[in-house]
Amino acid sequence: MLKFFRNAIIASFILMLVTGLIIYIGIKKSQISTSMFPARDTEFLWMSAIEPKKPVTQTMLTVENEVGTIEYDFFLDPVEPFPYTHFSMYFVDPIQSFIQVDLTRYSKISFKIQCDPKNVLLFVLFSFDDKVTDLKNMATRRVSSTAFSCDKHWSDINIDFDSLDTPHWWLGRYGFEFSDTSYKLNKTMGFAWVNSLQSPINTPSHVKLTDIKLQGADSRFFYGAIALSLILWILFVIWQFRRYVIVLTAELKEKVRQDQPLIAYAKLTIEPQRDKEKTGLFRYMATEYANPDLSLELAAAALGINRTKINDILKDELGLTFSTYLNKLRLTEAARLLSENEEANVSEIAYSVGYNNVSYFSKLFKQEYGCVPKTFKNLYQNKDDAV
């Protein structure tokens, strides 16, 4: 049995490593990352656009580069009350028509940006609004935004889509309540990087943008990994239980085989004793063990041997005390009856071998054989309903 438990522990450790690897792979697979720039996913075709397309007074934006890194310059006219520029990415189909894409699998967007001089820009998500958006008039798309800071050093920006709000000016323009700041991520039209009211006025500004990624999670891979791990552990437990039953059954049968000589004095494992006291003691116990009243005192009186001498004989020959040897005889006979009789009743067997208390009998039996009598009977007789 020790070998079984050692092997079970080793197998459990290996299975822990395997399931840990499965869950790790499930977590990695569930993490979705789609590169928008440089573009590596044909699922999201896009084209760039700028506002204003032509300078408005002195307010202007010009794209310097779109290979490897997006670079653009903008200038805000100090005379205008709300000068406005943006660089945007619009989703398109192969014939360059504006479309809406479903981004519900994604929870955030990340990008690297560099601004010179230091700036506060807005990240804007454009979405289709069923009430007001007209595809022929892009000004009617819903605007949802949040602000971020950048400077001449590269900054890693992560923006949760849940953090985007529709500004009051847009809600007021189209008659929405100011509390209606939500938008439909499944009808996303594009993104934009827009100057804010805190952007430098009357100052040339340069922006570099790259490594734009959509990030999210597909929980199906994670739950699939968990389900597979649970199935493996369930199968492992079933397999180990069956192996345990096989090993335990083999050990019980071997123990019964080894203990059977204790049933009759003629088959005792000790050598035949010439001493009459020894011979009489073993013969007496082999024939009287089923007597529920049998005790050291009763044996001493029946044999005419004092109690100390009886214990000395048993310790010298078997290494056992009187009560231990008596229980050994009784439990060995009980094991024989349980193994040979399919209809054996545990209570009747307990009484027949000298125990008036069935619970006490079961307790002693479990200490001797590692399982209660009912389980012993089922295992020994190779029954499938062992418990």
Side-chain angles (χ1 to χ4, degrees):
M1 188 62 74
L2 181 62
K3 181 179 179 181
F4 164 79
F5 284 117
R6 183 175 66 249
N7 291 339
I9 291 173
I10 294 173
S12 298
F13 178 74
I14 293 173
L15 184 57
M16 286 177 62
L17 294 178
V18 172
T19 53
L21 178 62
I22 291 173
I23 292 175
Y24 173 77
I25 293 174
I27 292 174
K28 296 297 289 184
K29 286 287 187 180
S30 66
Q31 296 173 350
I32 304 171
S33 181
T34 300
S35 177
M36 296 289 296
F37 185 89
R40 299 194 182 104
D41 196 319
T42 57
E43 180 182 358
F44 300 119
L45 298 176
W46 58 271
M47 67 178 221
S48 62
I50 63 171
E51 289 288 342
K53 293 181 175 60
K54 295 180 179 181
V56 176
T57 61
Q58 296 186 61
T59 299
M60 60 181 296
L61 185 147
T62 56
V63 177
E64 302 295 333
N65 181 50
E66 286 187 314
V67 178
T69 302
I70 298 171
E71 297 186 53
Y72 64 90
D73 298 306
F74 69 91
F75 185 89
L76 303 177
D77 191 337
V79 178
E80 290 188 60
F82 301 108
Y84 175 80
T85 66
H86 77 227
F87 175 89
S88 60
M89 305 166 62
Y90 285 106
F91 294 111
V92 296
D93 63 16
I95 60 174
Q96 302 297 302
S97 300
F98 293 115
I99 62 171
Q100 302 118 53
V101 298
D102 186 353
L103 298 184
T104 52
R105 292 191 305 161
Y106 301 94
S107 59
K108 65 180 180 180
I109 188 170
S110 64
F111 51 87
K112 293 182 178 180
I113 194 166
Q114 187 180 79
C115 305
D116 187 19
K118 183 177 181 180
N119 215 318
V120 176
L121 300 180
L122 299 177
F123 171 78
V124 175
L125 182 145
F126 298 124
S127 59
F128 185 91
D129 189 285
D130 296 329
K131 295 180 181 179
V132 301
T133 302
D134 180 359
L135 293 179
K136 296 179 181 180
N137 181 7
M138 297 305 293
T140 60
R141 62 202 182 281
R142 179 179 274 259
V143 175
S144 302
S145 64
T146 190
F148 64 91
S149 299
C150 57
D151 55 29
K152 63 181 181 179
H153 302 290
W154 283 107
S155 300
D156 292 313
I157 306 297
N158 292 276
I159 295 176
D160 291 330
F161 289 139
D162 287 342
S163 68
L164 303 179
D165 286 326
T166 303
H168 291 174
W169 66 262
W170 190 93
L171 296 171
R173 173 184 294 178
Y174 296 104
F176 288 87
E177 295 180 355
F178 285 171
S179 60
D180 188 5
T181 58
S182 62
Y183 63 95
K184 293 182 178 179
L185 197 59
N186 64 339
K187 292 188 175 183
T188 303
M189 300 180 69
F191 309 121
W193 286 261
V194 184
N195 66 277
S196 72
L197 294 178
Q198 293 184 329
S199 294
I201 302 294
N202 200 28
T203 301
S205 296
H206 183 72
V207 176
K208 296 175 69 174
L209 183 64
T210 191
D211 201 16
I212 304 169
K213 293 180 180 179
L214 295 170
Q215 298 181 4
D218 187 342
S219 58
R220 292 176 300 174
F221 291 100
F222 176 73
Y223 291 137
I226 294 294
L228 178 58
S229 298
L230 288 175
I231 291 172
L232 289 178
W233 275 103
I234 290 172
L235 293 176
F236 175 77
V237 170
I238 293 173
W239 174 55
Q240 289 296 323
F241 177 75
R242 290 182 174 177
R243 288 188 63 243
Y244 173 77
V245 169
I246 293 172
V247 173
L248 180 59
T249 300
E251 287 195 355
L252 290 175
K253 288 185 176 182
E254 178 62 19
K255 184 171 179 59
V256 170
R257 187 188 68 79
Q258 293 177 353
D259 288 347
Q260 281 304 309
L262 294 174
I263 297 300
Y265 171 72
K267 296 182 179 180
L268 288 174
T269 56
I270 63 172
E271 294 294 327
Q273 302 297 317
R274 295 178 182 177
D275 188 285
K276 290 184 178 180
E277 288 182 338
K278 295 178 181 178
T279 303
L281 171 60
F282 286 111
R283 181 179 292 112
Y284 177 80
M285 294 193 69
T287 57
E288 295 296 322
Y289 68 88
N291 180 1
D293 297 322
L294 181 60
S295 64
L296 181 58
E297 289 77 8
L298 185 62
L303 296 169
I305 307 174
N306 66 57
R307 296 168 52 184
T308 303
K309 185 66 176 292
I310 290 175
N311 272 324
D312 288 343
I313 292 172
L314 292 174
K315 287 182 179 179
D316 290 343
E317 299 298 329
L318 300 174
L320 303 173
T321 64
F322 178 87
S323 60
T324 303
Y325 180 56
L326 177 59
N327 282 326
K328 186 79 171 178
L329 288 172
R330 289 173 171 175
L331 294 173
T332 300
E333 176 63 4
R336 184 187 70 80
L337 294 173
L338 287 166
S339 65
E340 295 178 355
N341 186 358
E342 292 187 5
E343 304 301 324
N345 181 284
V346 174
S347 298
E348 292 176 353
I349 289 176
Y351 297 139
S352 70
V353 297
Y355 292 104
N356 290 327
N357 188 316
V358 178
S359 297
Y360 180 63
F361 163 68
S362 296
K363 177 182 177 182
L364 292 178
F365 194 94
K366 185 175 182 179
Q367 291 175 351
E368 181 70 17
Y369 291 99
C371 60
V372 295
K374 182 179 178 181
T375 301
F376 176 92
K377 183 179 75 169
N378 290 336
L379 289 173
Y380 200 95
Q381 296 171 5
N382 294 321
K383 289 189 176 182
D384 295 331
D385 58 344
V387 292

